[in-house]
Amino acid sequence: MHYKKKEFLRKQLSFRDFFKTMPGEYGEGDKFLGVVVPEQRKIAKSCYTEITLGEITELLRDPYHEVRLTALLMLVYRYQKAKSEESQQEFVDFYLNHMEFINNWDLVDTTCHPILGRFYFRRDKMLFYDLAKSGNLWKQRIAMISSLYWIKRGEFGDALNLAEILINHPHDLIHKAVGWMLREIGKMNQEVELEFLRKYSKIMPRTALRYSIEKFDQTLRLQILKGEGF
């Protein structure tokens, strides 16, 4: 028991640093219990069928990060089991109405593409352009990462448009999001990504560029980083 307590305390300190919770950082003031994600998934899967949206709301308001993530995981599982478009819309609306609690990168990345990305796959995507232009860091990351669902299904247009909107964003969390989605496009179709990079590689943030070319062979990576023709 003493060992477990020490392990939780160690994880709490590690998570505080990992999720940037110091004054002035993006996760300022966030609190942690020290529970790892696999355990949170087990909890979410064990009770998502019984939990109500009202109860999920209460969990999202919890000051502890892991409680919010577990609540969002339950929402994802609820959405995935929804049979009707009406039920799916209810969960999407709930997500959009509670974005203020989706306030760190892992909360965004774990939940937006299996809910918003999936729901809007064959629908008008103006919502994501509005989020990208909102000026809110987490809404902008939601806009970019939601496109992962479309990219995995071979549709790149909106993801590229969103990347273009966010290409010179000042925050590295958006640089990483843009680079990640470009990398995913390249895994599906390298030439599509290269076409984008030919236009933007010399002006986009270095972090975004490095993320985007991680899967390229070394020779091509060096060409792009040096700004040589490719």
Side-chain angles (χ1 to χ4, degrees):
M1 184 64 72
H2 181 63
Y3 169 78
K4 288 186 177 181
K5 184 176 180 180
K6 288 179 63 176
E7 183 66 12
F8 278 122
L9 288 173
R10 185 188 66 79
K11 284 187 168 62
Q12 287 172 11
L13 294 172
S14 174
F15 291 165
R16 287 173 194 166
D17 180 59
F18 190 58
F19 291 105
K20 306 298 183 185
T21 63
M22 297 300 290
E25 294 182 317
Y26 59 75
E28 180 178 350
D30 209 352
K31 298 180 179 181
F32 293 87
L33 296 166
V35 182
V36 296
V37 174
E39 291 301 318
Q40 294 174 63
R41 289 190 181 278
K42 288 180 184 178
I43 294 168
K45 286 181 178 179
S46 71
C47 56
Y48 78 91
T49 56
E50 291 83 19
I51 198 164
T52 66
L53 289 180
E55 289 168 332
I56 290 178
T57 299
E58 291 302 310
L59 294 175
L60 286 176
R61 291 173 176 159
D62 197 277
Y64 285 98
H65 188 102
E66 295 95 331
V67 176
R68 300 198 305 280
L69 179 55
T70 302
L72 288 167
L73 287 169
M74 287 190 277
L75 187 68
V76 170
Y77 298 147
R78 288 284 302 274
Y79 177 85
Q80 290 172 340
K81 292 295 184 180
K83 301 297 184 183
S84 67
E85 184 174 329
E86 182 179 3
S87 295
Q88 293 172 352
Q89 182 74 65
E90 181 181 18
F91 296 130
V92 167
D93 290 344
F94 181 90
Y95 191 98
L96 294 173
N97 290 330
H98 292 80
M99 283 191 289
E100 65 185 287
F101 304 110
I102 308 171
N103 56 358
N104 214 311
W105 59 264
D106 63 321
L107 306 181
V108 170
D109 296 359
T110 306
T111 62
C112 65
H113 61 93
I115 295 180
L116 300 185
R118 180 176 174 179
F119 185 78
Y120 285 97
F121 179 45
R122 296 300 186 192
R123 292 178 170 87
D124 180 84
K125 296 181 176 59
M126 186 53 64
L127 164 70
F128 301 95
Y129 293 91
D130 291 340
L131 292 175
K133 297 173 183 177
S134 68
N136 178 282
L137 175 65
W138 304 120
K139 290 180 180 180
Q140 290 170 317
R141 189 164 172 111
I142 285 170
M144 194 71 250
I145 303 301
S146 291
S147 71
L148 180 60
Y149 190 89
W150 319 326
I151 292 167
K152 292 291 188 182
R153 286 150 187 83
E155 295 200 0
F156 312 132
D158 289 293
L160 292 169
N161 291 339
L162 291 166
E164 191 171 23
I165 291 170
L166 296 168
I167 196 72
N168 285 315
H169 194 282
H171 204 289
D172 73 329
L173 282 178
I174 301 300
H175 303 169
K176 292 173 182 177
V178 169
W180 175 18
M181 293 304 102
L182 290 174
R183 184 178 71 224
E184 292 300 320
I185 290 172
K187 286 160 64 175
M188 301 288 290
N189 189 322
Q190 188 177 84
E191 185 53 39
V192 170
E193 183 186 356
L194 286 173
E195 183 178 353
F196 184 93
L197 294 178
R198 289 185 188 108
K199 185 175 181 180
Y200 291 108
S201 63
K202 293 182 180 180
I203 64 169
M204 64 195 292
R206 208 66 169 172
T207 298
L209 182 59
R210 288 186 179 278
Y211 265 59
S212 72
I213 61 176
E214 279 183 350
K215 299 300 180 180
F216 291 175
D217 66 68
Q218 185 176 10
T219 300
L220 182 54
R221 287 202 310 273
L222 290 175
Q223 282 181 304
I224 295 171
L225 289 171
K226 291 177 180 178
E228 299 174 355
F230 58 92

